[in-house]
Amino acid sequence: QESIVQSFVAANDLVNETNAVMLEAFGRKEEAAKVREEGAALSAKATEGDTDALKEFTVFSQDNLDIVASFATDRAEISAEGREKYVEGLVLAFESVMASKGMAAEASAFATSAQNDIKSASMLQKAKVVKKLAAGSFVAKELPGFTQRLTGSVGSLMTYAKSVDIPTPDDATDVLASL
């Protein structure tokens, strides 16, 4: 459980850094600093395996990624310096998707194991086992949707990059298609 929770937090950390770098790319440095600050605080709470903190961190990451994707969708202006930051943000975005996809097998195995532990627990122990496995269960349940939302957001970011002639990695389209 601890392993998948930590991996999920690390994937969210990558999403938040993506968001901050992309905000910087669009000239929103104060907002980027705020995302980093709030993201670090939420990450620290989520690392402890608190299910509510994990949910809050996930929502925070996704909300900010939606904001960044909206800049791309709305074809916001970007400076020459911002274009370089944007490429940096794209790399981080791909890393976050790959990190979340890389957790799929581990999360599935955890979910199966957790279900077996809960089923085999006595009536008196069942609630305790469910509570003990809550953080990992949240991650296993949340991961497919999280990965799908990240992939969609990265697609929007790539579309924007191509529309304004921001260079993208040669294999980025292939990577995105394989996701």
Side-chain angles (χ1 to χ4, degrees):
Q1 172 172 267
E2 186 175 331
S3 176
I4 66 166
V5 168
Q6 299 308 316
S7 294
F8 189 70
V9 169
N12 270 285
D13 286 339
L14 279 169
V15 172
N16 283 322
E17 185 58 20
T18 299
N19 294 337
V21 169
M22 288 299 195
L23 286 167
E24 289 172 343
F26 287 107
R28 299 172 184 269
K29 292 183 176 160
E30 289 179 19
E31 291 172 54
K34 186 176 180 182
V35 164
R36 284 188 176 108
E37 183 180 322
E38 288 182 38
L42 289 169
S43 179
K45 285 174 37 181
T47 300
E48 297 169 10
D50 177 273
T51 306
D52 290 336
L54 283 166
K55 288 177 188 175
E56 186 179 357
F57 191 35
T58 303
V59 168
F60 176 80
S61 298
Q62 187 60 50
D63 286 351
N64 283 298
L65 191 55
D66 290 346
I67 290 168
V68 168
S70 76
F71 293 148
T73 303
D74 296 342
R75 294 181 163 240
E77 290 291 320
I78 192 165
S79 68
E81 180 184 316
R83 297 165 75 80
E84 290 178 26
K85 273 288 186 192
Y86 197 92
V87 171
E88 182 183 330
L90 275 178
V91 170
L92 289 166
F94 278 105
E95 287 176 8
S96 65
V97 172
M98 298 310 288
S100 68
K101 285 198 64 86
M103 297 174 49
E106 185 180 8
S108 178
F110 173 82
T112 301
S113 175
Q115 287 175 341
N116 290 337
D117 288 352
I118 292 166
K119 284 179 186 176
S120 67
S122 70
M123 289 301 283
L124 297 173
Q125 293 294 316
K126 200 169 289 275
K128 190 176 187 177
V129 172
V130 168
K131 184 176 180 179
K132 177 182 160 193
L133 299 174
S137 296
F138 168 78
V139 171
K141 183 179 175 185
E142 181 66 22
L143 188 62
F146 177 78
T147 303
Q148 184 177 16
R149 290 186 303 273
L150 282 178
T151 303
S153 295
V154 170
S156 295
L157 297 174
M158 284 294 295
T159 299
Y160 174 80
K162 289 179 181 179
S163 74
V164 295
D165 296 322
I166 293 175
T168 57
D170 290 339
D171 63 346
T173 305
D174 294 337
V175 170
L176 189 59
S178 72
L179 302 176

